[in-house]
Amino acid sequence: MTEQQPSPLFEQTLSVVNIGIDLFAETLRQQSVDVVQVQWSPPATQNEDLMNLLDSLL
């Protein structure tokens, strides 16, 4: 069996874009990894009755 060389990808500096859980980004920062945190949440599903009720309140 021949020994495989590690991918050059693993020799580069790691930079991460984290979408969601802040704890994951913080854990990476503690390891000196560059992290950009994106605040995102899935869009709420629109319930037509609820939307009409909210519209009537405004």
Side-chain angles (χ1 to χ4, degrees):
M1 181 181 276
T2 60
E3 186 175 322
Q4 289 185 319
Q5 295 296 320
S7 168
L9 175 67
F10 296 111
E11 297 172 4
Q12 299 175 10
T13 302
L14 182 63
S15 296
V16 175
V17 175
N18 186 54
I19 301 173
I21 302 173
D22 294 333
L23 180 61
F24 183 69
E26 186 55 38
T27 301
L28 290 171
R29 284 187 191 102
Q30 290 172 359
Q31 298 175 57
S32 300
V33 174
D34 290 329
V35 179
V36 173
Q37 177 66 32
V38 177
Q39 297 300 325
W40 180 85
S41 61
T45 56
Q46 292 187 356
N47 177 315
E48 190 172 333
D49 291 335
L50 180 58
M51 295 304 290
N52 290 334
L53 178 61
L54 291 172
D55 285 340
S56 71
L57 294 173
L58 299 175

